[in-house]
């Protein structure tokens, strides 16, 4: 079954150049990070450095566009960075990229190498379809603070991904909730690649094709479906 994904008119009006591409995969094999997935992350950091050519990540036109959109819905982009910029900064720092688990390593590698926000959700933990909306401020976002589960609420007007149970990711692609994240037990996932107008759609498609190829390589026999990009324009 294909997971329904919808983008509200309010979000489309806020970011008319927004495009998202989804990859749905079943029969995945996850587990701890491996030497191979670690090597992908190291290679992604090298590709990023070449792409930036000495610039800081926020100076890239695509990252600058995300900063402008974050500002437009009331978020401070220097404090709550989009996921691609945050990962890129870590990739260029001495500590390098974190190793999370195999599937997360794969999509983080694509995100960093191509400077595009990429997220992954466990399909078995998603309730109903997923919607990208501007929050009322009353929605529940279940997270963990100080080792204990806690409920936060997004700011009114904040762009969030949500499903039938609440918010799955705050500030568009800033912070994912633990409820739907990919764990080592995940066998089905939905991967979202999100771009804004400075990034050509063919580049989004190339990033999606790269991630799909990696999923098929590391989970032989998985059923991987790449959906056509959907533009807000």
């Amino acid at each position: 079954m294909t997971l329904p994904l919808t983008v509200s008119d309010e979000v489309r009006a806020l970011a008319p150049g927004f495009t998202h591409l989804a990859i749905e995969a079943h029969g995945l094999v996850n587990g701890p990070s491996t030497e191979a997935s670690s090597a992908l992350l190291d290679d992604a950091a090298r590709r990023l450095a070449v792409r930036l050519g000495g610039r800081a990540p926020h100076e890239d036109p695509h990252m600058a566009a995300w900063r402008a959109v974050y500002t437009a819905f009331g978020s401070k982009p220097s404090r709550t960075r989009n996921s691609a910029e945050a990962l890129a900064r870590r990739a260029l720092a001495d500590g390098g990229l974190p190793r999370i688990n195999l599937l997360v390593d794969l999509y983080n590698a694509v995100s960093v190498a191509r400077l595009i926000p990429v997220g992954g959700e466990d399909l078995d933990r998603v309730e109903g379809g997923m919607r990208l909306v501007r929050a009322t401020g009353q929605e529940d976002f279940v997270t963990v603070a100080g080792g204990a589960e806690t409920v936060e609420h997004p700011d009114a007007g904040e762009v969030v991904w949500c499903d039938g149970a609440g918010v799955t990711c705050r500030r568009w692609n800033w912070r994912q909730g633990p409820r739907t994240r990919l764990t080592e037990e995940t066998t089905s996932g939905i991967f979202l690649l999100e771009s804004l107008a400075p990034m050509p759609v063919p580049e989004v498609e190339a990033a999606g094709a790269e991630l799909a190829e990696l999923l098929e390589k590391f989970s032989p026999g998985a059923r991987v479906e790449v959906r056509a990009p959907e533009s807000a324009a």
Side-chain angles (χ1 to χ4, degrees), residues 1-6 126-131 161-166 168:
M1 181 177 177
T2 300
L3 180 76
L5 296 168
T6 58
V126 174
E127 297 192 17
M130 291 180 60
R131 297 169 291 120
W161 278 103
C162 57
D163 66 359
T168 59

Side-chain angles (χ1 to χ4, degrees), residues 63 66-68 70-71 75-82 85:
M63 295 298 94
W66 276 107
R67 283 194 165 214
Y70 268 49
T71 300
S75 183
K76 294 182 178 179
S78 60
R79 291 179 57 188
T80 55
R81 297 178 175 87
N82 77 80
E85 183 183 334

